[in-house]
Amino acid sequence: MTSIDKLFRHASLAGHAEPMDIAVSRGQIMAIERRIVADAPVVDLQGCAVLPGFVDTHIHLDKACLLGRCAHIHGGLDVAIRAVSQMKREFTLEDVYARGANVLEKAIQHGTTRMRTHVEVDPRAGLRSFEAIRALKRDYAWAIDLSICVFPQEGLTNDPGADELLVEALEKGADALGGCPYTDSDPDAQMTRLFDLARRFDVDLDFHLDFDLDPSWMHLPTICRLTERQGWQGRVAVGHVTKLSMMPEAERQAMAKRMADCGVALTVLPATDLYLASQKGVNAPPRGLAPAHTLLDLGVVCSVATNNVLNPFTPFGDVSLLRMANFYANVAQVPPAQFGRCIDMVTSLPAQLMNLPDYGVEVGNPADLVVLDAPDLTTALAEIAPAWMGFRQGRMTFERQRPRLFRPS
Ligand SMILES: [Zn+2]
């Protein structure tokens, strides 16, 4: 029998009524049982909830933490895109690396173990941001799997040079390809071209899509059609789709069934979706948040993710996915019986969206374990329980000191 290097005791695991022991050998989970006897170093998890880590499918490391260098105007999506368009001309590799590292370290400390970052590639940013994120991917692989999704934020067909740069990034090993048809002067041509590139480079697609509150027209049906035509089912995700929040229920359900049938996944970005849905002079403004937890019932793979951190799109963010799931649950008025779904939308479902084969606290998988300071996941979601400690292939990657009270004697 393979020797056990580390033994985790008293782990509260989903699907098990009693606390379980987890044996690790050479970075892999080799047993999960009620009681394991072994001569190995023990970590007592004290009955706390254990996850394989949070999975963030949609974040922008390259343009995070810009608030200090621009006068933030809460002017909506177009104003934010223009503000970053100006600033990114000045981005250097070192600058993007430093801001990205700051965000990544916070994400790691909040228990995120897998992440897809979108990276703007165009004639203004060149490949500088991409190269910086590649360095981050390499330098933080001890704690987190970073997947790089390159995309043309300011359009593809209307931005000469963007296409060549995207191809160069894909040739250099970008993991996924993103899109943003709503900023393109020819959205259909952009979507078609990106599907062609995805097939050529064998990468997943992830679009920013239908990010406004007018449900009278959508790009989503075109994405579904192209997904079927190109045989890319299960490899396409769409982010935002705030139009879904404004559709009549029957139309939304029909759209959800279509997405489920052709394997198009949905990511909602609550912090940005809510912030940019603001409307001046409107009483009870709409929330602009697609009701992802209800789309799950219709078979759509849904995730809740971070998107922007401390920039003109979203001047908030501590990069905690548990906070984001809690925020989603609160704003979407999710009943406690469905809190588990909100946890699924930052763990197993985004892992499915990203086609991660080795995710989960299961025998044979890497011993990626995140311990939350709560007895179970429902409580953790309700309380936004701190991540107590994390392990990557069995090696500790972070630990948070629990607070202590000093009562008078
Ligand atoms: Zn985004």
Side-chain angles (χ1 to χ4, degrees):
M1 187 172 166
T2 321
S3 68
I4 294 173
D5 311 323
K6 196 174 273 177
L7 187 55
F8 294 93
R9 285 215 188 283
H10 309 122
S12 167
L13 287 174
H16 296 273
E18 302 278 332
M20 304 297 285
D21 291 354
I22 303 168
V24 174
S25 176
R26 297 199 180 110
Q28 273 197 336
I29 298 172
M30 63 174 298
I32 302 172
E33 289 166 24
R34 181 71 190 90
R35 179 80 183 151
I36 299 172
V37 179
D39 184 19
V42 169
V43 183
D44 186 354
L45 304 182
Q46 301 177 27
C48 285
V50 174
L51 288 166
F54 296 109
V55 182
D56 205 335
T57 59
H58 189 134
I59 190 168
H60 294 264
L61 292 178
D62 57 333
K63 57 183 176 190
C65 306
L66 293 173
L67 277 190
R69 56 178 89 167
C70 60
H72 176 69
I73 307 159
H74 185 189
L77 181 59
D78 297 345
V79 169
I81 290 174
R82 276 203 301 279
V84 173
S85 177
Q86 276 304 321
M87 282 187 278
K88 74 181 162 191
R89 295 166 200 269
E90 313 295 327
F91 286 180
T92 63
L93 198 149
E94 294 75 19
D95 170 38
V96 175
Y97 185 97
R99 288 183 288 104
N102 178 26
V103 174
L104 265 186
E105 289 184 14
K106 286 182 186 163
I108 292 164
Q109 291 165 38
H110 285 304
T112 300
T113 52
R114 320 276 185 128
M115 177 185 276
R116 172 183 284 175
T117 183
H118 288 257
V119 182
E120 297 187 15
V121 166
D122 60 35
R124 288 152 303 288
L127 291 177
R128 300 188 303 283
S129 296
F130 171 69
E131 294 295 354
I133 301 298
R134 278 218 302 180
L136 288 170
K137 173 175 173 159
R138 181 194 64 219
D139 294 351
Y140 284 89
W142 55 271
I144 190 166
D145 267 350
L146 193 55
S147 170
I148 305 177
C149 179
V150 290
F151 87 112
Q153 170 74 77
E154 297 175 60
L156 182 63
T157 68
N158 53 298
D159 197 4
D163 194 296
E164 290 80 357
L165 285 163
L166 280 176
V167 168
E168 196 178 338
L170 288 162
E171 282 169 348
K172 288 183 167 178
D175 303 289
L177 181 59
C180 195
Y182 62 76
T183 59
D184 204 301
S185 53
D186 190 345
D188 286 351
Q190 178 182 128
M191 290 184 271
T192 303
R193 171 67 177 156
L194 292 176
F195 268 91
D196 287 345
L197 284 175
R199 280 185 55 114
R200 179 171 144 202
F201 288 95
D202 191 19
V203 291
D204 291 357
L205 282 163
D206 199 331
F207 291 89
H208 292 76
L209 210 77
D210 291 333
F211 190 15
D212 62 58
L213 301 177
D214 175 6
S216 67
W217 63 273
M218 295 186 95
H219 287 138
L220 186 48
T222 306
I223 294 289
C224 290
R225 200 161 51 243
L226 287 167
T227 302
E228 279 183 329
R229 189 185 302 163
Q230 299 279 13
W232 231 235
Q233 294 93 336
R235 304 194 64 178
V236 179
V238 291
H240 300 294
V241 202
T242 47
K243 287 172 184 283
L244 284 170
S245 72
M246 304 299 278
M247 291 167 87
E249 182 61 24
E251 281 178 38
R252 181 165 55 236
Q253 287 195 8
M255 195 67 247
K257 284 188 185 124
R258 178 87 179 109
M259 292 173 77
D261 286 347
C262 55
V264 171
L266 172 70
T267 298
V268 296
L269 297 314
T272 305
D273 293 349
L274 270 109
Y275 190 68
L276 292 181
S278 70
Q279 293 184 334
K280 284 201 176 72
V282 175
N283 273 335
R287 283 168 284 191
L289 182 65
H293 67 292
T294 67
L295 271 62
L296 289 177
D297 289 337
L298 300 162
V300 184
V301 174
C302 295
S303 74
V304 169
T306 300
N307 201 31
N308 282 292
V309 178
L310 304 174
N311 72 10
F313 295 85
T314 315
F316 309 108
D318 66 353
V319 212
S320 159
L321 269 183
L322 188 57
R323 176 187 305 288
M324 202 54 73
N326 168 288
F327 183 49
Y328 173 87
N330 199 334
V331 171
Q333 299 162 348
V334 178
Q338 295 180 16
F339 282 2
R341 291 181 183 197
C342 297
I343 291 284
D344 292 345
M345 286 197 287
V346 288
T347 54
S348 54
L349 290 165
Q352 192 181 336
L353 183 153
M354 287 177 64
N355 292 305
L356 303 175
D358 58 354
Y359 177 83
V361 182
E362 287 165 29
V363 172
N365 277 350
D368 297 350
L369 306 172
V370 167
V371 186
L372 302 175
D373 198 356
D376 57 72
L377 295 175
T378 299
T379 307
L381 180 94
E383 296 183 348
I384 318 178
W388 177 20
M389 49 184 144
F391 299 83
R392 170 89 166 153
Q393 295 177 7
R395 176 187 171 273
M396 186 178 255
T397 52
F398 74 89
E399 182 179 24
R400 177 174 275 105
Q401 294 299 318
R402 288 163 140 174
R404 289 191 296 154
L405 291 177
F406 297 96
R407 301 181 193 282
S409 52

